[in-house]
Amino acid sequence: MKCPVCNHENGDAHFCERCGSNLTQTTSSPTPVPNSESAASEPEYTRWSSTQATSSQASVPSNTPSVSIHKEQARESTGTNDHASAGDNSSNQWNNIVQNEKVQQAKEVSKQYLSYFLSVLARPYQTMKTVGDQHSLNGWLTMALIAVLSSTYFLITFSRIGMDGLFIGGFLRPLLFTVIILIASIALMYAILKIEKITFRPKTLVAQFGTLLVPAVASLVLANLFIIISYSIAISLLAVSYIIIFVALNSVLFQYPLNRTKAAIDSMYSVLIANVVVFFILYRLLGEIIIGLIGMMLSPFGRL
């Protein structure tokens, strides 16, 4: 056996005769040493593959942000458009719901008022004694109808005779004047009841006064219809509607127990003063218009 240390031939000896090295350990199969080329090539391949993998991985994210950004922008724009369209749809739906509710409420009010109007028209004074605060809206509606119908009467009349300033002089002024007369009537009734120290509810007072004005609405409707047939009948019906205002004022006041206290003035005179004030307001505001219409009624053209 050749000594691996000194290269001396020793035969079958276990130790070298020259240097004494143990030949049994050296003869054992050495651990295979990897080839330097393969070892060198393997790390080189590993480095190349890792480099390629790294470069490929690096190249993919380099394009990914731009794509993701475009997608995100598209999503945001789509989301914004969706939100905008959803907001528009919701607002349109809400407007439709509100309009439908208003229409339904208007229909209900008109139905209730129509039934109220027909029942009151037959027996206004007896119905006046039974109304309460819940009928105050009907009272205001009745007064509004009186103002509109009287203004419509003057508008139609002025348009038939060809007067200038048709809308302002024929509609707006009579409308404003009639509203002032009705509100003044309510204010005078309120003041008299306060002077008499009578307990009452203002809404009930409005409901009672409006209930007694229902025949005036019917009279004005007929007056507007009779303009086409005869001015004399139309102007007579218009005068009746304003007379009903005075009758309603007195009827409401005298159904309360007046003169319960020792006031400085008797209740009869306080009611008379209220009537005079209303008549003066009516004359100052609508007197010229009504007198002009009466003169036209007495003319040959008005008798046609």
Side-chain angles (χ1 to χ4, degrees):
M1 181 176 293
K2 190 174 181 179
C3 178
V5 178
C6 62
N7 294 324
H8 178 70
E9 290 291 341
N10 294 298
D12 294 332
H14 294 286
F15 296 95
C16 180
E17 295 177 352
R18 181 180 293 179
C19 64
S21 298
N22 191 356
L23 300 177
T24 57
Q25 294 180 354
T26 57
T27 56
S28 61
S29 60
T31 303
V33 179
N35 191 2
S36 59
E37 294 180 358
S38 62
S41 62
E42 184 176 358
E44 184 66 22
Y45 173 78
T46 304
R47 286 194 299 269
W48 178 82
S49 61
S50 62
T51 304
Q52 293 295 326
T54 305
S55 62
S56 63
Q57 291 177 358
S59 62
V60 171
S62 63
N63 295 326
T64 303
S66 62
V67 176
S68 62
I69 289 172
H70 289 300
K71 290 182 179 180
E72 189 67 25
Q73 291 177 351
R75 290 176 183 174
E76 289 179 356
S77 61
T78 305
T80 304
N81 294 329
D82 292 339
H83 286 301
S85 60
D88 294 337
N89 292 330
S90 61
S91 62
N92 291 331
Q93 291 176 358
W94 175 252
N95 292 331
N96 292 331
I97 291 172
V98 171
Q99 291 177 357
N100 292 331
E101 289 181 354
K102 290 182 178 179
V103 169
Q104 293 297 327
Q105 291 176 357
K107 289 181 179 178
E108 288 295 328
V109 172
S110 61
K111 289 180 181 178
Q112 292 176 1
Y113 183 79
L114 182 59
S115 60
Y116 160 84
F117 181 87
L118 295 176
S119 62
V120 170
L121 188 60
R123 308 179 73 86
Y125 187 76
Q126 291 185 1
T127 307
M128 182 268 295
K129 294 182 177 180
T130 60
V131 295
D133 293 353
Q134 67 275 14
H135 298 97
S136 61
L137 178 61
N138 293 327
W140 289 116
L141 288 175
T142 302
M143 287 183 275
L145 286 174
I146 290 174
V148 172
L149 289 172
S150 60
S151 302
T152 305
Y153 175 87
F154 291 118
L155 180 64
I156 296 173
T157 303
F158 290 169
S159 64
R160 288 176 64 87
I161 62 178
M163 290 185 63
D164 296 331
L166 186 61
F167 183 72
I168 296 176
F171 186 80
L172 290 182
R173 289 181 63 187
L175 178 67
L176 179 61
F177 294 161
T178 307
V179 170
I180 291 174
I181 293 168
L182 294 173
I183 293 178
S185 301
I186 295 174
L188 289 168
M189 289 188 294
Y190 183 89
I192 291 173
L193 294 178
K194 281 294 184 180
I195 292 172
E196 295 287 338
K197 296 181 180 179
I198 295 175
T199 303
F200 68 98
R201 299 177 68 88
K203 288 185 177 181
T204 304
L205 184 66
V206 172
Q208 292 172 342
F209 185 61
T211 301
L212 294 178
L213 292 179
V214 167
V217 175
S219 178
L220 285 170
V221 171
L222 294 175
N224 282 278
L225 294 176
F226 272 94
I227 293 176
I228 304 174
I229 301 173
S230 174
Y231 281 112
S232 58
I233 297 176
I235 193 65
S236 300
L237 291 170
L238 178 69
V240 168
S241 64
Y242 283 105
I243 292 172
I244 291 174
I245 296 176
F246 290 94
V247 175
L249 184 147
N250 292 281
S251 299
V252 171
L253 286 176
F254 280 112
Q255 62 100 22
Y256 285 95
L258 300 178
N259 205 23
R260 296 189 305 174
T261 61
K262 294 180 179 180
I265 184 172
D266 190 77
S267 300
M268 180 68 185
Y269 296 112
S270 61
V271 174
L272 179 61
I273 291 172
N275 283 270
V276 170
V277 171
V278 173
F279 179 79
F280 179 76
I281 295 173
L282 176 62
Y283 175 75
R284 292 293 295 177
L285 297 181
L286 294 176
E288 296 180 0
I289 301 175
I290 295 175
I291 291 172
L293 293 178
I294 292 175
M296 189 174 63
M297 176 192 70
L298 298 175
S299 66
F301 177 73
R303 295 192 185 98
L304 294 177

